[in-house]
Amino acid sequence: MIRKNKIINIKANNKAQVTIFIIFGLILVVLIALIILVQKPVTTTTKLDAENPSQYIQACTRDSLDEVLDLIIPQGGFVDPEFYKLYEDKRVIYLCYINQAYKTCVMQHPSYINDIKTEIKNYIEPKVRDCFAKLSDNLEKKNYVVNDNLGNINVELGFKTVQVNIDKQFYISKNNVQEKYDRFEVKVINPIYDLALIAQEIANQEAKYCNFEYVGYMALHPEIEIGKFQTSDGVKIYKIKEKASDIQLNIAIKSCYYPPGLG
């Protein structure tokens, strides 16, 4: 009798163990599936949608905004720099420059932040207008009546953000139902404003003291990484990076130049 009970207990234990393994296996499968879903990149497409013009304009504007930011940040904030130092195949803008020995540099862009805003606006404005043109064409093909008036496009830079405000009357109607859009806003997370402020401070310090104490600055601002490379002709390339995003702004400085053999 004892032996029989023992056999029953062993079988019960085996069944319990199998059940535990099955449950553990299911949990493992669910965890793996969740990890795959989290790691899977989210893709967005700028799809023409007659039912949601606002969403289309926002996505289309965001595409051009991302495009210009990727272009200008490595070059110091400019689309097509004219006065620059070529560094790692990038045309890095001179933010402060002098070509006289022992002289402090002169600021080349006193309104640096506003200059960057202008660069962004000039780049995206025709692309945004093209977004509206494509949207209007698509709506008209679907028998909508479109009233598309010219409007203003403004760019604002702020703490870790770039915002585009489109003040524009865009009205559509169909079957006696009218929809009105007077303002479109697009905001992206990007540190160009924060990095540009640091670049401006570097240029100011170089213009006054022929130097910027970047090591001390990093100690006070651990979220920022600053590198400095000096070329053979006395040009300093400052590389200002936000660690969290790995986005890096480059600027060129030529200040207090020492003639060859005396530096």
Side-chain angles (χ1 to χ4, degrees), residues 190-213:
N190 189 285
I192 185 171
Y193 175 74
D194 313 75
L195 300 179
L197 287 179
I198 299 171
Q200 203 169 41
E201 179 61 21
I202 291 173
N204 286 333
Q205 293 292 318
E206 285 279 359
K208 289 181 180 180
Y209 309 115
C210 302
N211 184 52
F212 175 73
E213 185 46 62

Side-chain angles (χ1 to χ4, degrees), residues 66-174:
D66 289 338
E67 186 177 282
V68 69
L69 290 172
D70 288 343
L71 172 64
I72 69 175
I73 291 177
Q75 299 182 157
F78 292 81
V79 173
D80 190 20
E82 295 181 358
F83 189 40
Y84 62 88
K85 177 67 176 179
L86 191 64
Y87 176 73
E88 295 183 346
D89 297 324
K90 299 291 183 182
R91 293 178 298 167
V92 181
I93 196 77
Y94 278 110
L95 201 53
C96 197
Y97 181 89
I98 193 72
N99 198 30
Q100 292 180 323
Y102 315 115
K103 298 286 186 178
T104 55
C105 62
V106 177
M107 296 292 289
Q108 301 299 303
H109 296 277
S111 303
Y112 183 47
I113 302 296
N114 284 330
D115 291 346
I116 293 176
K117 288 166 60 175
T118 300
E119 289 289 304
I120 295 172
K121 179 182 176 179
N122 290 343
Y123 185 92
I124 70 171
E125 190 163 21
K127 294 179 180 292
V128 171
R129 299 199 185 283
D130 187 54
C131 292
F132 277 100
K134 289 180 180 178
L135 178 61
S136 297
D137 183 61
N138 183 264
L139 289 166
E140 288 169 351
K141 288 178 180 178
K142 295 182 178 181
N143 299 318
Y144 281 85
V145 176
V146 180
N147 183 2
D148 181 7
N149 296 320
L150 293 175
N152 296 319
I153 298 175
N154 297 306
V155 175
E156 298 296 332
L157 302 181
F159 176 68
K160 294 186 184 296
T161 61
V162 180
Q163 181 167 322
V164 177
N165 300 317
I166 307 169
D167 295 314
K168 181 181 180 69
Q169 290 182 341
F170 188 82
Y171 301 160
I172 62 174
S173 60
K174 184 177 181 181

